[in-house]
Amino acid sequence: MQLTAPANSTSTSSGRRTGTRDADGMAVASFILGLLGLLVLNVFLGPVAIALAAVALWRGTARRGRAFLGMGLGVADLLVLVTVMQMDSTVSWSF
């Protein structure tokens, strides 16, 4: 007897669920935005990277390392912002 998936399943042709694929994309996006946030818009990109990493981990991504790196880079973005704010006494900074 062969078991088949219901017609309304969210499986893709590769056998992976779309939710996992979305979570993997969120983990990669978190990493990229966290890395980019070290240079520009860290007040915006840092929290976005942290949120995307948290959601990716909550959804069970296969790229857990990438999600943790994205979360770490998001936190580093905010730490860089706080450090530069303390040195310049401003909210923004430039090269």
Side-chain angles (χ1 to χ4, degrees), residues 6-26:
N8 61 357
S9 176
T10 58
S11 296
T12 61
S13 61
S14 65
R16 293 180 55 188
R17 295 183 54 97
T18 6
T20 304
R21 189 171 143 218
D22 290 344
D24 291 348
M26 286 184 204

Side-chain angles (χ1 to χ4, degrees), residues 32-95:
I32 291 170
L33 292 177
L35 197 58
L36 185 61
L38 288 173
L39 300 174
V40 294
L41 294 173
N42 49 5
V43 70
F44 175 71
L45 294 178
V48 171
I50 293 169
L52 280 174
V55 171
L57 289 169
W58 182 68
R59 287 188 177 184
T61 181
R63 299 177 184 245
R64 293 180 55 82
R66 188 81 37 101
F68 281 122
L69 280 173
M71 188 174 288
L73 286 169
V75 170
D77 292 347
L78 296 177
L79 290 175
V80 166
L81 177 66
V82 168
T83 302
V84 173
M85 282 173 40
Q86 291 296 319
M87 290 176 11
D88 287 349
S89 299
T90 63
V91 177
S92 63
W93 61 281
S94 62
F95 291 107

